[in-house]
Amino acid sequence: MNINYKNLGLVCTKEMFKKAIKEKFAIPAYNFSNMEQLQAIIQGCIETDSPVILQISSSAYKYVNPILLRHMITGITQMTNKKIPIALHLDHGNSFELCKSCIDNGFSSVMIDGSAYSYKENIYLTKKVVKYAHLKNVVVEAELGVLAGIEDTTKAEKNLYTQPEKVEDFISKTGVDSLAISIGTSHGAYKFKIKPNKKIPSLRFNILKEIKKQLPNFPIVLHGASSILPKYVNIINQNGGNIESATGVSESQLRKAIQNGICKINIDSDLRLVMTAIIRKTLTENPKEFDPRKYLGLAREELIKIIKYKNKKVLSSAGFGHTIF
Ligand code: G3H
Ligand code: 13P
Ligand code: ZN
Protein backbone atom coordinates (compact mmCIF):
# COMPACT_ATOMS: atom_id res chain seq x y z
CA MET A 1 0.00 0.00 0.00
CA ASN A 2 1.16 3.52 -0.76
CA ILE A 3 -0.31 6.23 1.43
CA ASN A 4 0.44 9.94 1.48
CA TYR A 5 0.72 11.71 4.82
CA LYS A 6 -1.83 14.31 3.78
CA ASN A 7 -4.47 11.57 3.63
CA LEU A 8 -3.76 10.85 7.30
CA GLY A 9 -4.37 14.49 8.24
CA LEU A 10 -0.69 15.18 8.91
CA VAL A 11 1.31 18.27 7.98
CA CYS A 12 4.81 18.78 6.62
CA THR A 13 7.43 20.09 9.06
CA LYS A 14 8.63 22.76 6.61
CA GLU A 15 6.10 25.36 7.75
CA MET A 16 6.69 24.46 11.41
CA PHE A 17 10.43 25.04 11.09
CA LYS A 18 9.99 28.30 9.20
CA LYS A 19 7.83 29.66 12.00
CA ALA A 20 10.09 28.32 14.76
CA ILE A 21 13.21 29.87 13.23
CA LYS A 22 11.44 33.21 12.79
CA GLU A 23 9.97 33.31 16.30
CA LYS A 24 12.88 31.58 18.10
CA PHE A 25 11.14 28.61 19.60
CA ALA A 26 11.60 24.85 19.11
CA ILE A 27 9.13 22.34 17.72
CA PRO A 28 8.76 19.54 20.27
CA ALA A 29 9.59 16.11 18.84
CA TYR A 30 8.36 13.57 21.37
CA ASN A 31 9.03 9.84 20.96
CA PHE A 32 6.28 7.37 21.74
CA SER A 33 5.69 3.65 21.53
CA ASN A 34 2.23 3.12 23.02
CA MET A 35 -1.27 4.56 23.13
CA GLU A 36 -1.05 6.32 26.50
CA GLN A 37 2.11 8.20 25.51
CA LEU A 38 0.53 9.20 22.20
CA GLN A 39 -2.65 10.42 23.89
CA ALA A 40 -0.67 12.39 26.47
CA ILE A 41 1.57 14.06 23.89
CA ILE A 42 -1.43 15.14 21.83
CA GLN A 43 -3.45 16.28 24.85
CA GLY A 44 -0.52 18.26 26.28
CA CYS A 45 0.10 19.91 22.92
CA ILE A 46 -3.57 20.76 22.37
CA GLU A 47 -3.84 22.28 25.86
CA THR A 48 -0.81 24.47 25.12
CA ASP A 49 -1.69 25.14 21.46
CA SER A 50 1.68 23.76 20.35
CA PRO A 51 2.67 22.22 17.04
CA VAL A 52 4.09 18.72 17.51
CA ILE A 53 6.24 16.12 15.82
CA LEU A 54 5.32 12.57 16.83
CA GLN A 55 8.45 10.46 16.63
CA ILE A 56 8.75 6.74 16.11
CA SER A 57 12.12 5.01 16.31
CA SER A 58 12.80 2.00 14.11
CA SER A 59 12.30 -0.33 17.08
CA ALA A 60 9.06 1.46 18.06
CA TYR A 61 7.84 1.08 14.46
CA LYS A 62 8.16 -2.67 14.83
CA TYR A 63 6.85 -2.69 18.41
CA VAL A 64 3.63 -0.84 17.56
CA ASN A 65 3.19 -2.42 14.11
CA PRO A 66 3.08 -0.24 10.95
CA ILE A 67 -0.59 -0.87 10.16
CA LEU A 68 -1.80 -0.28 13.69
CA LEU A 69 0.37 2.84 13.91
CA ARG A 70 -1.21 4.29 10.77
CA HIS A 71 -4.68 3.74 12.17
CA MET A 72 -3.73 5.22 15.54
CA ILE A 73 -2.46 8.33 13.77
CA THR A 74 -5.60 8.61 11.64
CA GLY A 75 -7.64 8.33 14.84
CA ILE A 76 -5.59 11.06 16.47
CA THR A 77 -5.88 13.51 13.56
CA GLN A 78 -9.62 12.87 13.28
CA MET A 79 -10.10 13.42 17.00
CA THR A 80 -8.03 16.60 17.07
CA ASN A 81 -9.62 17.92 13.87
CA LYS A 82 -6.85 20.39 12.95
CA LYS A 83 -6.67 22.05 16.35
CA ILE A 84 -2.87 21.79 16.13
CA PRO A 85 -0.48 20.80 13.32
CA ILE A 86 0.79 17.24 13.74
CA ALA A 87 3.72 15.64 11.89
CA LEU A 88 4.76 11.97 12.03
CA HIS A 89 8.51 11.38 11.84
CA LEU A 90 10.77 8.34 11.66
CA ASP A 91 13.54 8.85 14.22
CA HIS A 92 17.02 7.45 13.45
CA GLY A 93 16.07 5.51 10.33
CA ASN A 94 19.00 3.23 9.58
CA SER A 95 18.32 2.12 6.02
CA PHE A 96 16.79 3.26 2.75
CA GLU A 97 14.29 0.39 2.97
CA LEU A 98 13.00 1.45 6.39
CA CYS A 99 12.66 5.09 5.29
CA LYS A 100 10.80 3.98 2.15
CA SER A 101 8.47 1.80 4.22
CA CYS A 102 7.62 4.75 6.51
CA ILE A 103 7.16 7.16 3.59
CA ASP A 104 4.81 4.68 1.88
CA ASN A 105 2.98 4.16 5.17
CA GLY A 106 2.07 7.84 5.57
CA PHE A 107 4.93 9.43 7.56
CA SER A 108 5.36 13.13 6.83
CA SER A 109 9.12 13.10 7.46
CA VAL A 110 11.93 10.64 7.99
CA MET A 111 15.38 10.79 9.49
CA ILE A 112 18.12 8.85 7.76
CA ASP A 113 20.89 8.51 10.29
CA GLY A 114 24.07 7.83 8.37
CA SER A 115 26.25 9.26 11.13
CA ALA A 116 27.90 5.90 11.80
CA TYR A 117 29.18 5.79 8.22
CA SER A 118 31.99 7.70 6.56
CA TYR A 119 31.20 11.21 5.33
CA LYS A 120 31.02 9.95 1.74
CA GLU A 121 28.74 7.03 2.60
CA ASN A 122 26.53 9.28 4.70
CA ILE A 123 26.09 11.58 1.68
CA TYR A 124 25.33 8.65 -0.61
CA LEU A 125 22.69 7.14 1.68
CA THR A 126 21.09 10.48 2.59
CA LYS A 127 20.88 11.51 -1.05
CA LYS A 128 19.16 8.25 -1.96
CA VAL A 129 16.50 8.74 0.74
CA VAL A 130 16.01 12.41 -0.18
CA LYS A 131 15.43 11.51 -3.83
CA TYR A 132 12.66 9.05 -2.94
CA ALA A 133 11.12 11.18 -0.18
CA HIS A 134 10.92 14.34 -2.25
CA LEU A 135 8.97 12.54 -4.97
CA LYS A 136 6.23 12.19 -2.34
CA ASN A 137 6.72 15.64 -0.80
CA VAL A 138 8.12 14.01 2.33
CA VAL A 139 11.00 15.84 4.01
CA VAL A 140 14.23 14.35 5.36
CA GLU A 141 16.42 14.92 8.42
CA ALA A 142 20.03 13.72 8.38
CA GLU A 143 22.84 13.74 10.95
CA LEU A 144 26.40 14.97 10.81
CA GLY A 145 28.68 14.20 13.71
CA VAL A 146 27.98 11.46 16.24
CA LEU A 147 26.12 11.85 19.50
CA ALA A 148 28.10 10.32 22.29
CA GLY A 149 28.51 10.47 26.03
CA ILE A 150 31.33 12.09 27.88
CA GLU A 151 32.68 8.60 28.55
CA ASP A 152 33.86 8.53 24.98
CA THR A 153 36.82 10.64 26.18
CA THR A 154 38.44 13.69 24.74
CA LYS A 155 40.29 11.60 22.17
CA ALA A 156 37.05 10.86 20.31
CA GLU A 157 35.60 14.28 21.10
CA LYS A 158 37.07 16.07 18.09
CA ASN A 159 35.70 13.60 15.59
CA LEU A 160 32.30 13.23 17.21
CA TYR A 161 31.19 16.86 17.30
CA THR A 162 29.75 18.20 14.06
CA GLN A 163 32.39 19.97 12.02
CA PRO A 164 30.88 23.31 10.94
CA GLU A 165 33.06 23.50 7.83
CA LYS A 166 31.31 20.40 6.46
CA VAL A 167 27.65 21.33 6.87
CA GLU A 168 27.19 23.47 3.77
CA ASP A 169 28.83 20.87 1.55
CA PHE A 170 26.71 18.09 3.10
CA ILE A 171 23.47 19.95 2.59
CA SER A 172 24.16 20.98 -0.97
CA LYS A 173 25.28 17.47 -1.93
CA THR A 174 22.32 15.67 -0.31
CA GLY A 175 19.43 18.13 -0.67
CA VAL A 176 18.37 17.25 2.88
CA ASP A 177 15.72 19.43 4.62
CA SER A 178 17.02 19.54 8.21
CA LEU A 179 20.18 18.55 10.03
CA ALA A 180 20.79 16.96 13.42
CA ILE A 181 24.07 18.10 14.92
CA SER A 182 26.31 16.92 17.70
CA ILE A 183 27.25 19.59 20.26
CA GLY A 184 27.63 17.52 23.41
CA THR A 185 24.29 15.86 24.06
CA SER A 186 23.79 12.10 24.02
CA HIS A 187 20.88 9.69 24.15
CA GLY A 188 19.47 8.11 27.28
CA ALA A 189 19.51 8.90 30.99
CA TYR A 190 23.27 9.08 31.54
CA LYS A 191 24.41 11.99 29.44
CA PHE A 192 27.37 13.26 31.42
CA LYS A 193 29.79 11.48 33.69
CA ILE A 194 30.44 14.05 36.38
CA LYS A 195 33.28 13.90 38.84
CA PRO A 196 32.36 14.84 42.45
CA ASN A 197 31.96 18.62 42.91
CA LYS A 198 32.24 19.23 39.19
CA LYS A 199 29.55 20.88 37.13
CA ILE A 200 27.85 19.33 34.11
CA PRO A 201 29.84 20.51 31.09
CA SER A 202 28.27 23.10 28.82
CA LEU A 203 27.03 22.22 25.36
CA ARG A 204 29.35 23.42 22.58
CA PHE A 205 27.51 26.61 21.65
CA ASN A 206 30.52 27.80 19.67
CA ILE A 207 29.92 24.93 17.21
CA LEU A 208 26.20 25.73 16.99
CA LYS A 209 26.94 29.41 16.36
CA GLU A 210 29.44 28.52 13.64
CA ILE A 211 26.91 26.21 11.96
CA LYS A 212 24.22 28.90 12.10
CA LYS A 213 26.65 31.34 10.53
CA GLN A 214 27.00 28.98 7.56
CA LEU A 215 23.27 28.15 7.42
CA PRO A 216 21.30 30.99 9.01
CA ASN A 217 17.81 29.84 8.00
CA PHE A 218 18.33 26.11 7.77
CA PRO A 219 16.50 23.89 10.32
CA ILE A 220 18.97 22.53 12.89
CA VAL A 221 17.92 19.72 15.25
CA LEU A 222 19.06 18.80 18.76
CA HIS A 223 18.86 15.13 19.75
CA GLY A 224 19.42 13.78 23.23
CA ALA A 225 17.63 16.73 24.80
CA SER A 226 15.99 15.15 27.85
CA SER A 227 16.64 16.91 31.15
CA ILE A 228 16.39 13.69 33.21
CA LEU A 229 14.30 15.44 35.86
CA PRO A 230 15.59 14.44 39.33
CA LYS A 231 12.03 14.33 40.71
CA TYR A 232 11.17 11.30 38.58
CA VAL A 233 14.54 9.60 38.95
CA ASN A 234 14.04 9.85 42.73
CA ILE A 235 10.51 8.43 42.57
CA ILE A 236 11.84 5.48 40.56
CA ASN A 237 14.68 4.86 43.01
CA GLN A 238 12.36 5.17 46.03
CA ASN A 239 10.01 2.59 44.56
CA GLY A 240 12.28 -0.32 43.78
CA GLY A 241 14.11 1.09 40.77
CA ASN A 242 17.82 1.56 40.34
CA ILE A 243 18.71 4.51 38.14
CA GLU A 244 21.88 5.93 39.66
CA SER A 245 23.90 8.99 38.57
CA ALA A 246 21.47 9.89 35.82
CA THR A 247 22.07 13.35 34.33
CA GLY A 248 20.47 15.30 31.52
CA VAL A 249 20.68 18.60 29.70
CA SER A 250 19.59 21.48 31.91
CA GLU A 251 16.59 23.51 30.88
CA SER A 252 18.68 26.68 30.73
CA GLN A 253 21.07 25.03 28.24
CA LEU A 254 18.11 23.98 26.12
CA ARG A 255 16.72 27.53 26.16
CA LYS A 256 20.13 28.84 25.16
CA ALA A 257 20.33 26.30 22.31
CA ILE A 258 16.94 27.51 21.05
CA GLN A 259 18.02 31.15 21.28
CA ASN A 260 21.05 30.17 19.19
CA GLY A 261 18.95 28.66 16.43
CA ILE A 262 17.90 25.08 17.30
CA CYS A 263 14.34 24.67 15.95
CA LYS A 264 13.55 21.01 16.75
CA ILE A 265 14.18 19.33 20.10
CA ASN A 266 14.03 15.53 20.51
CA ILE A 267 12.74 14.15 23.80
CA ASP A 268 12.27 10.50 24.63
CA SER A 269 13.96 9.54 27.92
CA ASP A 270 12.08 12.13 30.01
CA LEU A 271 8.74 10.67 28.96
CA ARG A 272 9.95 7.15 29.70
CA LEU A 273 11.13 8.17 33.15
CA VAL A 274 7.87 9.95 34.02
CA MET A 275 5.82 6.96 32.95
CA THR A 276 8.00 4.47 34.82
CA ALA A 277 8.04 6.63 37.96
CA ILE A 278 4.26 6.90 38.18
CA ILE A 279 3.69 3.22 37.43
CA ARG A 280 6.23 2.14 40.06
CA LYS A 281 4.83 4.53 42.67
CA THR A 282 1.21 3.56 42.02
CA LEU A 283 1.91 -0.15 42.22
CA THR A 284 4.07 0.21 45.35
CA GLU A 285 1.36 2.23 47.09
CA ASN A 286 -1.46 -0.03 45.87
CA PRO A 287 -0.09 -3.58 45.92
CA LYS A 288 -3.53 -5.04 45.31
CA GLU A 289 -4.05 -3.07 42.09
CA PHE A 290 -4.03 -5.01 38.85
CA ASP A 291 -6.12 -2.89 36.49
CA PRO A 292 -3.71 -1.38 33.91
CA ARG A 293 -6.04 1.57 33.41
CA LYS A 294 -5.34 2.70 36.97
CA TYR A 295 -1.57 2.94 36.77
CA LEU A 296 -1.37 3.76 33.05
CA GLY A 297 -4.10 6.37 33.47
CA LEU A 298 -2.15 8.11 36.24
CA ALA A 299 1.04 7.92 34.17
CA ARG A 300 -0.82 9.52 31.28
CA GLU A 301 -2.01 12.38 33.51
CA GLU A 302 1.54 13.06 34.65
CA LEU A 303 2.85 12.93 31.09
CA ILE A 304 0.32 15.57 30.04
CA LYS A 305 1.61 17.84 32.84
CA ILE A 306 5.24 17.42 31.82
CA ILE A 307 4.52 18.01 28.14
CA LYS A 308 2.62 21.19 28.95
CA TYR A 309 5.49 22.33 31.16
CA LYS A 310 8.11 21.69 28.48
CA ASN A 311 6.11 23.38 25.73
CA LYS A 312 5.49 26.44 27.88
CA LYS A 313 8.69 26.84 29.88
CA VAL A 314 11.48 25.17 27.91
CA LEU A 315 10.68 24.98 24.20
CA SER A 316 8.40 28.07 24.08
CA SER A 317 6.25 26.37 21.44
CA ALA A 318 3.02 27.08 23.35
CA GLY A 319 0.61 29.40 21.56
CA PHE A 320 2.00 28.78 18.06
CA GLY A 321 -0.10 25.74 17.08
CA HIS A 322 -2.94 27.60 15.39
CA THR A 323 -0.52 29.89 13.53
CA ILE A 324 0.97 27.06 11.43
CA PHE A 325 -1.07 25.29 8.75
O1 G3H B 1 17.05 8.26 19.79
C1 G3H B 1 16.65 7.17 20.16
C2 G3H B 1 15.39 7.00 20.85
O2 G3H B 1 15.48 7.34 22.18
C3 G3H B 1 14.75 5.66 20.53
O3 G3H B 1 15.15 4.59 21.27
O4 G3H B 1 15.20 2.53 19.80
O5 G3H B 1 14.82 2.35 22.26
O6 G3H B 1 13.05 3.27 20.78
P1 G3H B 1 14.53 3.10 21.01
P1 13P C 1 16.77 11.61 24.93
O1 13P C 1 17.28 10.24 25.22
O2 13P C 1 17.62 12.66 25.56
O3 13P C 1 15.34 11.77 25.28
O4 13P C 1 16.91 11.84 23.34
C1 13P C 1 15.91 11.41 22.48
C2 13P C 1 16.29 11.53 21.05
O5 13P C 1 17.22 12.21 20.65
C3 13P C 1 15.45 10.79 20.09
O6 13P C 1 15.93 10.91 18.79
ZN1 ZN D 1 18.07 10.93 18.66
Side-chain angles (χ1 to χ4, degrees), residues 29 31 55 91-92 111 141 147 185-189 191 222-228 249 264-272:
N31 286 64
Q55 285 197 152
D91 191 28
H92 295 283
M111 174 187 192
E141 175 182 322
L147 259 70
T185 61
S186 60
H187 293 107
K191 299 192 189 302
L222 188 66
H223 282 243
S226 278
S227 295
I228 315 298
V249 186
K264 173 180 180 256
I265 293 251
N266 283 17
I267 296 170
D268 185 352
S269 298
D270 276 343
L271 305 191
R272 296 181 186 200

Side-chain angles (χ1 to χ4, degrees), residues 54-305:
L54 298 169
Q55 285 197 152
I56 280 279
S57 68
S58 46
S59 57
Y61 190 56
K62 287 192 204 103
Y63 178 82
V64 176
N65 176 282
I67 299 169
L68 181 56
L69 172 70
R70 172 155 44 84
H71 287 283
M72 282 164 83
I73 296 298
T74 310
I76 283 292
T77 56
Q78 282 179 5
M79 277 163 57
T80 56
N81 197 20
K82 294 203 165 151
K83 280 197 193 82
I84 51 165
I86 302 171
L88 178 65
H89 177 75
L90 169 67
D91 191 28
H92 295 283
N94 53 9
S95 69
F96 172 79
E97 290 70 27
L98 176 63
C99 291
K100 182 180 181 303
S101 160
C102 290
I103 293 165
D104 294 344
N105 197 33
F107 279 55
S108 51
S109 60
V110 292
M111 174 187 192
I112 177 70
D113 183 353
S115 62
Y117 299 113
S118 72
Y119 183 65
K120 234 174 145 182
E121 287 165 330
N122 192 354
I123 289 179
Y124 174 79
L125 181 60
T126 304
K127 206 171 154 182
K128 190 171 170 190
V129 172
V130 167
K131 194 171 167 203
Y132 186 76
H134 283 185
L135 287 175
K136 317 237 164 172
N137 295 318
V138 168
V139 288
V140 181
E141 175 182 322
E143 181 167 322
L144 251 195
V146 180
L147 259 70
I150 206 85
E151 68 270 21
D152 285 311
T153 77
T154 42
K155 200 173 135 231
E157 187 173 304
K158 215 165 70 199
N159 299 326
L160 295 172
Y161 291 132
T162 306
Q163 295 173 268
E165 60 276 18
K166 283 194 171 159
V167 293
E168 225 178 341
D169 182 66
F170 184 81
I171 278 147
S172 66
K173 284 188 175 143
T174 57
V176 78
D177 304 280
S178 60
L179 187 69
I181 58 162
S182 173
I183 56 167
T185 61
S186 60
H187 293 107
Y190 308 94
K191 299 192 189 302
F192 307 100
K193 203 176 256 174
I194 335 159
K195 296 204 177 89
N197 305 321
K198 289 269 188 261
K199 281 205 310 202
I200 292 174
S202 167
L203 299 184
R204 297 288 295 267
F205 292 109
N206 54 333
I207 298 177
L208 174 57
K209 283 179 189 163
E210 206 44 58
I211 292 169
K212 286 304 285 186
K213 236 189 251 169
Q214 319 270 338
L215 308 164
N217 292 310
F218 193 81
I220 303 294
V221 179
L222 188 66
H223 282 243
S226 278
S227 295
I228 315 298
L229 301 160
K231 175 182 167 186
Y232 298 100
V233 174
N234 291 340
I235 294 175
I236 291 173
N237 289 339
Q238 284 155 13
N239 290 279
N242 183 6
I243 297 187
E244 299 299 338
S245 316
T247 47
V249 186
S250 72
E251 292 173 353
S252 61
Q253 295 257 304
L254 292 175
R255 289 186 199 103
K256 194 169 167 188
I258 296 166
Q259 283 314 302
N260 281 288
I262 291 288
C263 75
K264 173 180 180 256
I265 293 251
N266 283 17
I267 296 170
D268 185 352
S269 298
D270 276 343
L271 305 191
R272 296 181 186 200
L273 289 168
V274 168
M275 190 156 201
T276 303
I278 301 305
I279 293 171
R280 276 195 178 277
K281 183 169 183 285
T282 308
L283 291 177
T284 305
E285 288 171 0
N286 305 280
K288 291 196 164 70
E289 188 56 73
F290 63 93
D291 181 346
R293 291 171 298 182
K294 296 282 163 37
Y295 50 87
L296 292 178
L298 287 174
R300 186 170 63 186
E301 287 310 309
E302 195 70 19
L303 281 172
I304 294 172
K305 279 190 215 157

